[in-house]
Amino acid sequence: MDSYWTYENCRYDKTRRTCSHLKLIDRCPVPKAPLRNGHLNQTAFSFFLFVRDVADSDLFAWIDHQLSTANQVSYVSAQEALVGPTRHVFGVSDKVLTMTLSSILMADREARPDWFAVGSAMIVVDRLVHNLLVRTGILERLGTDHSYGPRCYALGGCAEALRLISARIDARQFDRDFPADFPRFIQHALWRYCAADALNICNGNNTDDRKSCSVQFCKLYSICDKIAPK
């Protein structure tokens, strides 16, 4: 584990206490972290090495530099400038990276307004949000109906639909300190409407995805197209 670039093929397994370099496991720092499973141990050390070797032990300065190299301070180029390099950290997905980086970028709006502008435009599309856009008929009306997957982030996909929706909703009506156009907030609000551990309304727990929705207590029921996602 000399550097970030050589830390690969670790394969540490906490339960079986095995890895790809068993002769070194007793003095390796990876197993010593008291985390839930071996994958988390690998992720923790991969991220540590990323910060140390790629970000030169200053993650904030690295973010500043990456944003300065983007073609423009917009959600596409700026987001990729951050997510692109970090997606090689072991065990993290674009979804996790986008959620995490968005929270970091929005943490200090007053001191770092450029960070906030990027973070507030970062959108995470999971299956819950995608299926809501299908059920309501939003994707079909826009002529961009598609299956859940990479197309959600492509031209005309879910992310673009959410940005169109956000542009038509003044988020200041929910909090006067919010920016008027707040895509991350709108996306998160839709996710909460669907998530089982939040409002738990528009999801597979309440309706069969193979059939038209019949959840009449849903606030969107009268204007929803009730399209089955499958």
Side-chain angles (χ1 to χ4, degrees):
M1 196 171 65
D2 296 326
S3 72
Y4 173 71
W5 297 278
T6 59
Y7 179 64
E8 60 181 349
N9 198 32
C10 169
R11 296 193 302 199
Y12 170 62
D13 187 306
K14 182 177 180 179
T15 303
R16 295 183 295 173
R17 192 170 172 75
T18 61
C19 70
S20 59
H21 304 283
L22 274 177
K23 292 181 179 180
L24 304 175
I25 195 169
D26 289 336
R27 54 192 177 91
C28 177
V30 174
K32 294 180 172 57
L35 303 177
R36 183 164 51 87
N37 60 55
H39 275 81
L40 291 176
N41 287 58
Q42 292 181 68
T43 299
F45 276 87
S46 181
F47 181 66
F48 163 76
L49 291 170
F50 175 89
V51 174
R52 189 193 72 182
D53 298 339
V54 179
D56 198 22
S57 298
D58 190 338
L59 187 60
F60 277 23
W62 179 82
I63 292 174
D64 277 330
H65 172 73
Q66 291 301 109
L67 293 180
S68 72
T69 62
N71 294 329
Q72 55 182 337
V73 181
S74 67
Y75 69 86
V76 175
S77 57
Q79 178 171 327
E80 183 57 26
L82 298 176
V83 174
T86 51
R87 65 166 56 101
H88 300 292
V89 172
F90 176 85
V92 295
S93 63
D94 278 28
K95 174 184 173 181
V96 170
L97 286 170
T98 303
M99 289 192 299
T100 304
L101 288 167
S102 176
S103 298
I104 292 171
L105 293 170
M106 293 192 296
D108 191 357
R109 182 183 182 186
E110 184 174 345
R112 297 178 180 272
D114 288 347
W115 283 30
F116 185 89
V118 175
S120 65
M122 294 175 106
I123 285 177
V124 179
V125 182
D126 66 357
R127 193 176 293 277
L128 287 173
V129 173
H130 170 83
N131 284 350
L132 180 143
L133 295 175
V134 173
R135 287 192 186 97
T136 54
I138 291 173
L139 294 182
E140 187 173 274
R141 294 182 199 183
L142 292 173
T144 58
D145 196 17
H146 58 272
S147 300
Y148 176 69
R151 279 203 61 196
C152 291
Y153 293 97
L155 183 64
C158 294
E160 187 172 310
L162 289 168
R163 290 192 174 91
L164 290 173
I165 294 168
S166 175
R168 303 186 64 175
I169 299 174
D170 189 341
R172 293 173 297 187
Q173 64 185 291
F174 306 106
D175 188 321
R176 63 183 182 181
D177 291 329
F178 282 174
D181 186 3
F182 198 167
R184 181 75 171 100
F185 170 74
I186 298 302
Q187 171 259 302
H188 185 67
L190 294 180
W191 175 84
R192 283 186 52 81
Y193 193 71
C194 303
D197 56 354
L199 296 178
N200 190 31
I201 296 176
C202 184
N203 61 39
N205 295 333
N206 294 317
T207 184
D208 189 334
D209 285 347
R210 297 166 297 181
K211 300 178 182 178
S212 178
C213 178
S214 60
V215 183
Q216 297 188 28
F217 62 81
C218 173
K219 293 183 180 295
L220 303 175
Y221 189 79
S222 63
I223 60 172
C224 178
D225 288 354
K226 307 173 191 62
I227 297 174
K230 295 182 179 179

